[in-house]
């Protein structure tokens, strides 16, 4: 969640990136080998983005999703890193931020309706 400094509203962003093409191996700076083939990127990922307002639920004593502000904005031109050393094969990952880090991370942004 991100906190809006104007009125202290909390928001949650859900970003899903899926890529079905192998991508291109690119050179990247490495500590040991200098500029070396070290990552695999693509500009053809399917990206879906949703933004939710968070509201406090006293029953579960935590924030839950409230109003949908952005409902599944979609693009087929997402830039993603899809591999590279040491994971040259296909991989899949999911990320969730838990407390207390979730409360500590606050990203500045400007949001207007």
């Amino acid at each position: 969640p991100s906190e809006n400094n104007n009125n202290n509203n909390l928001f949650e962003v859900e970003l899903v990136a899926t890529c079905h093409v192998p991508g291109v191996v690119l050179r990247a700076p490495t500590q040991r080998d200098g500029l070396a083939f070290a990552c695999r990127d693509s500009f053809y990922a399917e990206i879906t983005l949703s933004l939710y307002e968070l509201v406090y639920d006293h029953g579960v004593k935590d924030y839950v999703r409230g109003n949908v502000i952005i409902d599944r904005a979609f693009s087929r031109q997402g830039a993603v890193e899809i591999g590279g050393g040491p994971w040259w094969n296909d991989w899949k990952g999911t990320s969730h931020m838990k407390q207390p880090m979730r409360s500590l991370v606050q990203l500045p942004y400007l949001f207007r309706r």
Side-chain angles (χ1 to χ4, degrees):
S2 297
E3 187 171 338
N4 180 332
N5 294 328
N6 295 331
N7 56 12
N8 294 328
N9 288 347
L10 292 176
F11 300 92
E12 179 178 275
V13 173
E14 180 180 72
L15 179 69
V16 177
T18 305
C19 190
H20 300 287
V21 297
V24 176
V25 178
L26 300 175
R27 290 184 183 267
T30 64
Q31 189 172 13
R32 192 182 75 203
D33 298 324
L35 197 58
F37 291 104
C39 65
R40 181 179 290 276
D41 289 10
S42 173
F43 289 93
Y44 297 106
E46 295 177 352
I47 304 289
T48 305
L49 176 114
S50 298
L51 178 65
Y52 304 90
E53 185 174 21
L54 293 180
V55 294
Y56 191 78
D57 184 330
H58 293 281
V60 297
K61 297 182 180 173
D62 200 2
Y63 287 92
V64 296
R65 288 180 178 175
N67 294 329
V68 178
I69 298 168
I70 299 174
D71 189 15
R72 296 181 304 256
F74 182 79
S75 175
R76 285 192 171 89
Q77 296 178 336
V80 292
E81 182 176 341
I82 57 173
W87 56 87
W88 289 105
N89 297 325
D90 294 346
W91 57 274
K92 178 180 178 178
T94 302
S95 174
H96 297 281
M97 189 176 300
K98 298 185 179 189
Q99 295 292 4
M101 283 303 294
R102 192 172 88 183
S103 295
L104 296 174
V105 176
Q106 295 186 12
L107 303 174
Y109 65 90
L110 179 61
F111 175 76
R112 295 190 179 142
R113 274 188 210 194

